[in-house]
């Protein structure tokens, strides 16, 4: 039996791959983008996120235009909270936290809304310093913060306005409504903790109405009867733990003094390091000015 050398060395025909159509290329591109967004969302929820500082309320600890890496694991990782690039909020689940916010921590949190808002009209992350936690008694006397009767140390890079100017309109804008506090002389105020019982009456109804509504209940004050979820109520039991946030640039900061307590559940992380810093108010079309605004001394700065 002979060997068929002709067939042995015959080159096999390799099927050529058909070129992709424009539609197929587009579908492939969309799939790649979707997977990239999903990966970013998972990482952003579980471990690490990026945050751009929009205002000077935390100067000089962090500066307007600082880009920060935020540790999101420390206060409890979450499922994705927002669709990247579109800022569309998502229902999310928060896993048990390794630790709760503590006094002195710089915290990133979901803004709970302005003083009289049950829910913020826009999903936003805020950055402040936690100055008091659940169960603490906070008081500010002549711009000096006291927690449980002890003076709170001033953060290393905080900015304090020596003029000590008081805006007469503050007493109409501060939280809680009706108590007449101002930014320099505030409290005493107890930060709510889970299980606290609040006695409700006609005098303090306005003070607690938005707070109770934020915890998911309907509250009304028709005539002389206060009702919660339709039932007459003279007491309310707090369902969550809260903290109080203030800016290190405290004389130029809209913070918990103006819009209220921060639920622990809203605290999503703490900033770790500045990885970039420049003037975010300059448009990218002014590239030369934009590049000249880079603060190289800020890059690599550890946040305390």
């Amino acid at each position: 039996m002979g060997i068929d050398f002709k067939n042995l060395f015959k080159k096999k025909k390799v099927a050529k791959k058909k070129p992709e159509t424009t539609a197929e290329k587009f579908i492939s591109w969309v799939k790649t983008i979707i997977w990239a967004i999903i990966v970013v969302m998972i990482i952003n929820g579980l471990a690490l996120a990026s945050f751009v500082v929009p205002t000077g309320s935390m100067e000089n600890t962090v500066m307007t235009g600082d880009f920060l890496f935020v540790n999101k694991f420390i206060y409890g990782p979450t499922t994705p909270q927002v669709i990247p690039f579109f800022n569309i909020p998502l229902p999310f689940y928060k896993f048990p936290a390794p630790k709760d916010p503590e006094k002195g921590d710089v915290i990133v949190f979901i803004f709970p809304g302005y003083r009289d808002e049950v829910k913020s009209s826009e999903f936003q992350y805020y950055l402040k310093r936690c100055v008091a936690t659940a169960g603490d008694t906070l008081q500010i006397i002549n711009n000096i913060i006291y927690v449980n009767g002890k003076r709170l140390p001033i953060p290393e890079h905080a900015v304090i306005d020596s003029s000590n100017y008081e805006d007469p309109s503050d007493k109409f804008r501060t939280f809680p409504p009706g108590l007449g506090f101002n930014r320099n002389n505030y409290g005493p105020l107890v930060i709510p903790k889970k299980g606290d019982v609040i006695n409700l009456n006609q005098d303090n109804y306005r003070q607690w109405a938005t707070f109770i509504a934020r915890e998911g209940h309907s509250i009304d004050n028709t005539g002389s009867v206060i009702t919660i979820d339709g039932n007459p109520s003279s007491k309310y039991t707090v369902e969550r733990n809260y903290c109080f946030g203030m800016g290190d640039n405290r004389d130029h900061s809209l913070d918990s003094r103006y819009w209220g307590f921060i639920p622990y559940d809203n605290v999503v992380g703490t900033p770790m390091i500045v990885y970039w810093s420049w003037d975010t108010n300059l448009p990218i079309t002014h590239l030369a000015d934009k590049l000249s605004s880079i603060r190289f001394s800020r890059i690599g700065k550890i946040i305390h």
Side-chain angles (χ1 to χ4, degrees), residues 6-174:
K6 185 178 180 181
N7 289 330
L8 182 65
F9 295 106
K10 188 177 182 181
K11 293 182 180 178
K12 295 181 179 179
K13 291 183 179 179
V14 179
K16 291 183 179 180
K17 187 177 180 181
K18 292 175 63 178
E20 287 185 334
T21 65
T22 302
E24 288 173 334
K25 288 180 180 179
F26 178 76
I27 292 171
S28 177
W29 178 80
V30 170
K31 286 180 179 178
T32 301
I33 294 298
I34 290 173
W35 274 112
I37 291 174
I38 290 172
V39 170
V40 169
M41 288 171 66
I42 292 172
I43 295 174
N44 189 63
L46 294 178
L48 190 68
S50 174
F51 180 86
V52 185
V53 180
T55 71
S57 69
M58 280 293 291
E59 293 181 352
N60 288 318
T61 302
V62 293
M63 307 291 289
T64 306
D66 279 355
F67 288 66
L68 310 172
F69 281 132
V70 174
N71 178 349
K72 293 195 71 176
F73 182 81
I74 190 169
Y75 299 124
T78 68
T79 56
Q81 298 169 318
V82 66
I83 299 176
F85 315 116
F86 300 101
N87 202 36
I88 300 174
L90 297 169
F92 68 92
Y93 172 77
K94 189 171 185 178
F95 295 93
K99 62 166 282 190
D100 290 327
E102 297 177 357
K103 285 182 282 293
D105 288 355
V106 179
I107 55 174
V108 175
F109 55 93
I110 300 169
F111 179 53
Y114 291 109
R115 190 187 71 175
D116 300 317
E117 288 183 325
V118 174
K119 186 178 180 181
S120 176
S121 58
E122 182 182 358
F123 186 94
Q124 299 177 78
Y125 289 118
Y126 269 37
L127 176 74
K128 302 293 178 187
R129 188 178 295 276
C130 174
V131 297
T133 55
D136 286 339
T137 298
L138 172 79
Q139 187 169 17
I140 303 173
I141 303 173
N142 296 328
N143 210 16
I144 298 173
I145 302 173
Y146 296 87
V147 179
N148 302 325
K150 296 182 179 179
R151 182 171 178 168
L152 198 70
I154 297 173
E156 181 182 1
H157 300 292
V159 175
I160 306 298
D161 188 344
S162 58
S163 68
N164 209 32
Y165 168 75
E166 290 188 2
D167 186 340
S169 69
D170 257 10
K171 64 182 180 180
F172 302 110
R173 300 187 298 127
T174 51

Side-chain angles (χ1 to χ4, degrees), residues 118 210-217 236-242:
V118 174
T210 302
F211 174 86
I212 292 170
R214 285 180 179 180
E215 289 215 315
H217 301 280
Y236 177 75
T237 302
V238 177
E239 297 177 353
R240 296 188 287 179
N241 287 318
Y242 293 81

Side-chain angles (χ1 to χ4, degrees), residues 237-252:
T237 302
V238 177
E239 297 177 353
R240 296 188 287 179
N241 287 318
Y242 293 81
C243 60
F244 198 94
M246 288 179 58
D248 283 0
N249 187 2
R250 68 177 66 159
D251 301 293
H252 303 279

